[in-house]
Amino acid sequence: MNDCDLFSLRKSCLKMKSCTEFILILLGLFIKASSAENSTQVYYIEVHIEAGAYKNFTDFIDNLILDVNSSATVQNFSITTECNSLITGNVNCSCNSGYSWSEEVCQNFSQCCNQNECMFNDPNPRAMCLSNNKVLVNGSFTLADVPYTSSLAESGSQDYNAFVEKYTGKLQQVYSTLGWFDSLKITRLRQGSIIADFVMTVTAPFTSAELENTTKQLQKNNNASFNLIVTVSLENGQTAYQAFEGIFCDEKLEGHDVSCQFQNRLNQTKLFSLYVPIINDDSTICKSELDWPDAKANFNATKLCNPTAVGLQMRYCMANGTWGDLISFCVNQAISKLLNVAMNLQRGLGIVEKQANGIFVRLKLSTDDKSFETFANVNASVGVLESMRDASNIQNSKWNDTAFPDILKSLSNLLNGSLNDSWRPVGNEGNYTLALKYLRAVDGIINQTKFATATNQFQQENVQVKIYNKSDPSTQKTFSSEFGVSVSITETVSNVSVQTAFKNLGSKLPNTLDGKETVPSEIILLVKADKKTKISAEYNQQRLPNHEMYCVYLNEDNSTWSEGGCKWGGVSKPKLCTCDHLSAFTILMAKHPIELKYMEELTYTGLGFSIVSLTLCLVIEFLVWNAVVKTNIAHFRHTVLVNITVCLLIAHCSFLAAPVPSASPPYWCLPLTVMKHFCFLAAFFWMLCLSLGLLHQVIFVFVHLRKKVYLGLCLFLGYICPLVIVIVTFITYDNGRPGSYYSGETCWLIYEAALKGSIHAFLFPVFIIVFVNMFTMVVVISRILKPNLSEGSSHDEKEVARSIVKTIVLLTPTLGITWILGLFVLMLDLTTTPYAQIVNYAFTFFNSFQGFFILLTGCFGEKKVRDALQKRFGRQQSMNYKSESSSRITSATKTK
């Protein structure tokens, strides 16, 4: 046969000038057999015949229809598709084993791609299945004698199109002699004389000799050199080789190295090595489990995925002979096929504008599948998005927004909460690569979508898109998302901007900023515009007290968050971010609160001084008690002072008993918390007793307090009231449960938020007492300012000023006035610099050194105490002096 026509209903017609032997694929040929009164069985078949056996194709077809099995020259016969004609006029078709729907079917009937059976409106001969075994040839050819011009670099230029059309025809004319040739497309021209890259697809395997002969013919005819890479796509997506090697069993080996060298017809070689562990009698192994065989300890067992998926799965056999977790790289076949289609489109096989809708419909259906929840499937789906983005850029072609609902549904499906654990490889929780690829792919997808003016908003469960068009009065500058972010375009010269909000994406992206750990917002905002735009965004992100917030964008250069060009609204507007450029944005919160330097050192130093001072204060009171306590007023004052000192001393010692709560015995924390809670409260209530006594003395000058009444009141206020508060608080907060009543990290009460947390059972009484004590101090100062009748006009202002200062200095420590700074500590956030830092350091200094100040003002500040100490130690010194003098006189007498 000199001339022959190859019929293919997937392509119009393919002419071949000569062929000595060929494989004829009759894609449109079908056999009808009556199976029911109102039903017709249709078989789409694939036939391999020997050329020259028939005078013409009509003769062959007639013989084949009469009796397929009667022809001895039919080398291979297989049914690819079975269809049933229904009474409704529709046709129900299904693919046989080893076959799947053709790409043309997937494009025109997207609902078919993810299922084996499909319903068609009429018996369409193109509604058929093709072999899952495909051959992809990536190649390039170099024309040494053809000069390269700059116009060839511009895709779509007249010279570029002319070159592509000319050499595509030349290559197709020769390569189409390969059996079941499908397509060939030149994808790029490069300089080097001229280097042209191309992609060819053949939908059935062929021999390397055929490819070599056709390529040699092209090299000779065009004075060109070719470079080809052949990839075989099998039904399960992999090419497997099997080899056997003998090992001497008398040598007890732990393993054996095996090497395989692959060599092609051009004598090019590739070496692969494999270490095979050997299981000996005394080897530790993981016993076979389900379909996993025995495996040696400290090695991975690997096997192919099940028939419905493509890839490998792995389990590690641990040292103790137990199986580790399953690590799967299995991709659903539907996703795998779709990824191959998208990658082929990226290589130039097909037109983006025509195929995009079908691909995005298939992606939506695939991501809806319940068996989708694996890292491999998510990774492959993001790969589809990347390939579509790149293919669109290469072809400089966009798709209409009619495809965007399917795109958005796929993007939203990928962010479903059920997939949270599928965004990172098993055992690599710090890997954020896939999420970054997803965000970049979405960025490109949005850029390549032609949005209609009438459409201004799309929304799915996890993704929301708003289009702002300056020329359309119906669109607003402000974009309020249900996800908890609102965007305002504050300054713009853009005509169109696209604002996209993502939910459940923040935790999948990097959570550090300049090496600092942060708590990411789950909301990511992506803003694209045709010109420069300044935006402000308000996030519904809860901020913890004293935690810094960072308004950041995704830096494409190093794939990290950066603050450049973005500004946080501060404490007054903690949810606001403003940026003067476009990108992907979010707001981050520091993982830990702001830490002030040397605060711990200052605290422990002050407490150390206070403990020593309070102990010394008790010793002094013991020594001078009889000398200074001679009136009721003095008795009241020193009784209160001793109780304040004792309570503070126990509270400070309890604080230092667990400097590092995590390193202390766990049963210590609760009693220490209760002790500190009670003792600090008791100290303040005794300060209140001192304040009330002083207030009574100033206001009711001629009314004296009765000793029993006052001391009874002091005992009630000083110990009964704190005890009641502690007991009620303990019961209220789950009977002292950790995390409710106290924190195991600090061994102290818990502050959750304003008016929330057990710490308020301490703060409220303390601040009430402090305000009462401040009132007492004001009354005392006003009394000093008011002159006595005896003083008359001789009232010395300097003396008054000195008295006021002295009163403030002496009363502030013992009345706990410095604790008023604690109110400002709660009110001022540490992000409010420098005021918050000043107040915090002042509060820590004055209150950690409170015991030391009480020693100075409460003991040494009272003249009677100083006189008593001087008299006591002076008399002792005088007695020692007299004793020493008597000894000297006696000694002198004896000497004489």
Side-chain angles (χ1 to χ4, degrees):
M1 181 184 297
N2 295 326
D3 294 317
C4 59
D5 291 335
L6 292 180
F7 292 91
S8 171
L9 297 183
R10 295 177 68 244
K11 309 187 76 68
S12 58
C13 183
L14 182 62
K15 289 284 187 179
M16 298 177 59
K17 292 184 178 179
S18 64
C19 55
T20 58
E21 186 179 33
F22 63 94
I23 298 176
L24 175 62
I25 311 300
L26 298 175
L27 300 178
L29 183 63
F30 55 89
I31 303 173
K32 297 184 179 180
S34 297
S35 58
E37 182 177 355
N38 295 316
S39 175
T40 302
Q41 190 77 14
V42 182
Y43 299 92
Y44 290 88
I45 63 174
E46 169 186 315
V47 183
H48 296 240
I49 67 172
E50 180 181 348
Y54 298 93
K55 295 180 181 179
N56 53 58
F57 284 104
T58 304
D59 184 27
F60 164 71
I61 293 173
D62 290 341
N63 283 311
L64 184 62
I65 294 176
L66 289 174
D67 185 5
V68 174
N69 294 321
S70 66
S71 176
T73 55
V74 177
Q75 295 179 329
N76 189 13
F77 169 86
S78 60
I79 298 176
T80 67
T81 316
E82 295 185 13
C83 298
N84 290 315
S85 296
L86 305 179
I87 191 172
T88 58
N90 293 333
V91 178
N92 186 37
C93 298
S94 62
C95 294
N96 282 342
S97 176
Y99 295 87
S100 60
W101 296 114
S102 66
E103 185 57 37
E104 187 170 357
V105 172
C106 285
Q107 293 177 20
N108 296 318
F109 307 94
S110 57
Q111 72 276 12
C112 297
C113 286
N114 291 333
Q115 52 187 355
N116 190 50
E117 292 188 3
C118 195
M119 188 77 68
F120 298 92
N121 295 329
D122 54 61
N124 190 334
R126 294 178 299 178
M128 60 168 296
C129 307
L130 299 178
S131 171
N132 289 329
N133 299 330
K134 298 179 182 179
V135 180
L136 181 67
V137 180
N138 285 281
S140 65
F141 61 90
T142 302
L143 302 173
D145 56 352
V146 179
Y148 182 87
T149 60
S150 59
S151 60
L152 293 176
E154 300 176 8
S155 176
S157 67
Q158 184 175 356
D159 290 343
Y160 180 92
N161 292 335
F163 181 94
V164 168
E165 182 179 0
K166 175 182 177 181
Y167 283 94
T168 298
K170 287 187 176 184
L171 267 63
Q172 283 183 340
Q173 184 178 8
V174 176
Y175 280 133
S176 60
T177 60
L178 296 173
W180 216 348
F181 170 83
D182 183 62
S183 63
L184 185 146
K185 183 176 180 64
I186 295 176
T187 59
R188 185 174 60 157
L189 301 181
R190 294 179 285 142
Q191 188 173 4
S193 299
I194 295 181
I195 303 175
D197 298 327
F198 67 92
V199 179
M200 178 173 64
T201 302
V202 180
T203 54
F206 52 84
T207 65
S208 56
E210 292 177 297
L211 181 62
E212 185 178 351
N213 291 334
T214 53
T215 303
K216 285 182 178 179
Q217 181 181 344
L218 283 168
Q219 290 185 151
K220 180 180 179 181
N221 294 344
N222 297 281
N223 190 23
S225 59
F226 278 71
N227 181 30
L228 304 178
I229 299 176
V230 181
T231 304
V232 181
S233 176
L234 298 178
E235 181 177 357
N236 225 14
Q238 301 180 42
T239 304
Y241 295 91
Q242 191 175 41
F244 297 91
E245 181 169 344
I247 301 174
F248 292 103
C249 295
D250 54 348
E251 297 183 17
K252 190 174 182 180
L253 302 174
E254 291 298 321
H256 183 70
D257 289 308
V258 179
S259 297
C260 294
Q261 181 170 290
F262 296 85
Q263 181 174 334
N264 62 15
R265 290 176 176 268
L266 299 177
N267 297 322
Q268 298 169 325
T269 60
K270 189 74 173 180
L271 183 67
F272 290 91
S273 297
L274 179 68
Y275 180 79
V276 181
I278 298 174
I279 298 177
N280 297 303
D281 293 338
D282 57 349
S283 296
T284 302
I285 65 170
C286 294
K287 295 287 187 180
S288 59
E289 183 179 288
L290 298 177
D291 53 350
W292 290 90
D294 291 347
K296 191 172 183 178
N298 298 317
F299 286 93
N300 282 315
T302 306
K303 68 171 187 174
L304 293 173
C305 300
N306 60 54
T308 62
V310 177
L312 297 172
Q313 47 190 333
M314 181 186 304
R315 289 184 79 181
Y316 184 71
C317 179
M318 293 186 285
N320 60 359
T322 58
W323 286 106
D325 294 332
L326 173 67
I327 300 176
S328 175
F329 301 98
C330 301
V331 181
N332 292 354
Q333 280 194 358
I335 294 290
S336 178
K337 292 177 182 178
L338 184 57
L339 179 59
N340 288 333
V341 171
M343 292 175 68
N344 288 340
L345 195 62
Q346 180 184 349
R347 298 183 183 107
L349 297 178
I351 300 174
V352 168
E353 193 170 0
K354 292 183 178 179
Q355 294 184 241
N357 285 28
I359 290 175
F360 289 128
V361 169
R362 292 167 63 183
L363 182 61
K364 179 191 70 173
L365 296 174
S366 297
T367 54
D368 275 332
D369 196 330
K370 292 182 179 179
S371 64
F372 182 75
E373 298 174 2
T374 66
F375 170 77
N377 285 329
V378 175
N379 186 50
S381 301
V382 174
V384 172
L385 296 173
E386 286 187 307
S387 296
M388 292 301 296
R389 173 202 62 192
D390 294 342
S392 179
N393 287 331
I394 291 171
Q395 296 187 17
N396 194 22
S397 175
K398 296 186 177 183
W399 45 77
N400 295 323
D401 61 2
T402 54
F404 201 69
D406 294 324
I407 296 174
L408 205 67
K409 179 59 175 174
S410 301
L411 299 178
S412 179
N413 287 344
L414 289 171
L415 296 179
N416 285 338
S418 59
L419 294 177
N420 285 345
D421 296 331
S422 302
W423 278 81
R424 299 182 183 93
V426 176
N428 196 356
E429 286 72 20
N431 191 324
Y432 304 101
T433 304
L434 184 56
L436 291 169
K437 289 168 59 177
Y438 170 88
L439 198 54
R440 293 191 182 104
V442 175
D443 189 359
I445 291 288
I446 291 175
N447 280 341
Q448 297 307 112
T449 303
K450 294 184 289 186
F451 291 103
T453 305
T455 305
N456 56 37
Q457 186 161 325
F458 301 87
Q459 183 169 347
Q460 287 292 336
E461 182 180 356
N462 298 308
V463 184
Q464 185 178 9
V465 177
K466 173 73 178 292
I467 294 94
Y468 164 73
N469 193 325
K470 184 185 289 186
S471 62
D472 186 354
S474 65
T475 61
Q476 302 296 322
K477 287 186 177 182
T478 301
F479 165 48
S480 297
S481 170
E482 296 179 3
F483 302 161
V485 60
S486 61
V487 187
S488 297
I489 302 175
T490 54
E491 294 181 15
T492 180
V493 291
S494 297
N495 296 316
V496 178
S497 70
V498 183
Q499 303 150 24
T500 308
F502 301 89
K503 187 166 64 176
N504 297 333
L505 180 59
S507 59
K508 303 172 182 64
L509 289 163
N511 61 351
T512 58
L513 176 65
D514 298 331
K516 296 177 290 188
E517 283 190 278
T518 63
V519 178
S521 167
E522 280 301 314
I523 306 303
I524 302 296
L525 180 66
L526 177 64
V527 182
K528 305 298 295 181
D530 54 354
K531 294 179 182 177
K532 184 178 180 181
T533 299
K534 184 177 180 180
I535 66 165
S536 63
E538 190 167 339
Y539 295 85
N540 188 22
Q541 172 78 348
Q542 186 65 36
R543 188 183 79 96
L544 297 178
N546 303 322
H547 284 65
E548 288 186 289
M549 302 295 287
Y550 311 103
C551 294
V552 295
Y553 76 97
L554 188 63
N555 190 330
E556 292 291 341
D557 295 334
N558 51 22
S559 300
T560 59
W561 295 116
S562 174
E563 293 182 278
C566 294
K567 185 180 180 181
W568 178 45
V571 179
S572 59
K573 297 179 180 178
K575 299 179 180 180
L576 181 65
C577 287
T578 57
C579 294
D580 59 8
H581 57 81
L582 301 179
S583 182
F585 305 99
T586 191
I587 188 168
L588 304 174
M589 182 177 71
K591 188 173 183 178
H592 305 287
I594 296 175
E595 292 186 1
L596 299 178
K597 291 183 178 180
Y598 311 115
M599 186 63 77
E600 285 192 6
E601 292 82 354
L602 178 61
T603 300
Y604 290 122
T605 301
L607 289 178
F609 268 89
S610 289
I611 290 173
V612 174
S613 300
L614 292 171
T615 304
L616 184 58
C617 186
L618 290 176
V619 172
I620 292 174
E621 287 293 332
F622 175 77
L623 294 176
V624 302
W625 185 269
N626 293 330
V628 298
V629 180
K630 293 182 179 180
T631 64
N632 284 347
I633 298 298
H635 187 275
F636 296 158
R637 182 180 181 280
H638 286 275
T639 299
V640 172
L641 184 61
V642 167
N643 281 276
I644 292 173
T645 303
V646 171
C647 292
L648 284 179
L649 181 61
I650 297 175
H652 290 341
C653 290
S654 299
F655 190 95
L656 291 182
V660 184
S662 58
S664 304
Y667 53 82
W668 280 20
C669 207
L670 177 58
L672 288 175
T673 302
V674 172
M675 185 62 70
K676 286 186 285 186
H677 190 190
F678 173 76
C679 289
F680 275 123
L681 281 179
F684 277 97
F685 273 100
W686 278 104
M687 291 176 191
L688 177 62
C689 293
L690 180 64
S691 173
L692 294 177
L694 184 60
L695 190 62
H696 183 277
Q697 184 181 352
V698 173
I699 297 177
F700 306 101
V701 180
F702 301 105
V703 180
H704 299 288
L705 279 173
R706 287 185 294 174
K707 188 174 183 180
K708 289 184 178 180
V709 174
Y710 181 71
L711 291 180
L713 178 64
C714 290
L715 288 173
F716 176 79
L717 289 176
Y719 293 117
I720 303 301
C721 289
L723 182 62
V724 171
I725 292 173
V726 171
I727 292 175
V728 171
T729 307
F730 187 90
I731 295 173
T732 302
Y733 288 92
D734 297 336
N735 293 321
R737 185 175 63 84
S740 180
Y741 173 67
Y742 73 98
S743 169
E745 297 178 358
T746 60
C747 286
W748 184 230
L749 305 175
I750 295 175
Y751 177 83
E752 297 178 16
L755 304 179
K756 188 177 181 181
S758 59
I759 189 68
H760 292 89
F762 171 76
L763 295 179
F764 283 148
V766 166
F767 287 137
I768 291 173
I769 292 172
V770 169
F771 280 114
V772 172
N773 293 352
M774 288 181 65
F775 173 76
T776 299
M777 182 180 287
V778 171
V779 171
V780 172
I781 293 174
S782 64
R783 177 66 183 84
I784 295 173
L785 290 172
K786 185 178 180 181
N788 294 328
L789 293 175
S790 59
E791 292 177 350
S793 60
S794 64
H795 191 63
D796 190 350
E797 293 183 358
K798 292 184 178 180
E799 185 63 30
V800 171
R802 281 195 293 268
S803 298
I804 292 174
V805 172
K806 182 179 178 181
T807 300
I808 294 174
V809 171
L810 292 178
L811 292 182
T812 295
T814 53
L815 294 182
I817 303 300
T818 54
W819 280 79
I820 195 63
L821 292 172
L823 180 61
F824 294 100
V825 167
L826 293 177
M827 293 173 57
L828 290 175
D829 196 276
L830 286 177
T831 57
T832 309
T833 57
Y835 308 107
Q837 282 73 9
I838 294 172
V839 171
N840 273 266
Y841 279 115
F843 174 77
T844 302
F845 174 78
F846 285 114
N847 292 288
S848 60
F849 282 89
Q850 186 177 8
F852 175 69
F853 294 132
I854 287 176
L855 173 66
L856 295 180
T857 60
C859 292
F860 297 138
E862 185 177 350
K863 187 175 185 302
K864 290 182 180 180
V865 174
R866 295 197 303 270
D867 292 342
L869 287 175
Q870 185 177 8
K871 183 177 180 180
R872 182 180 182 89
F873 289 103
R875 182 176 57 189
Q876 184 175 356
Q877 184 178 4
S878 176
M879 291 175 62
N880 291 338
Y881 176 77
K882 290 180 179 179
S883 176
E884 183 179 353
S885 299
S886 300
S887 299
R888 289 178 180 175
I889 293 171
T890 304
S891 176
T893 305
K894 290 180 180 180
T895 302
K896 292 180 178 179

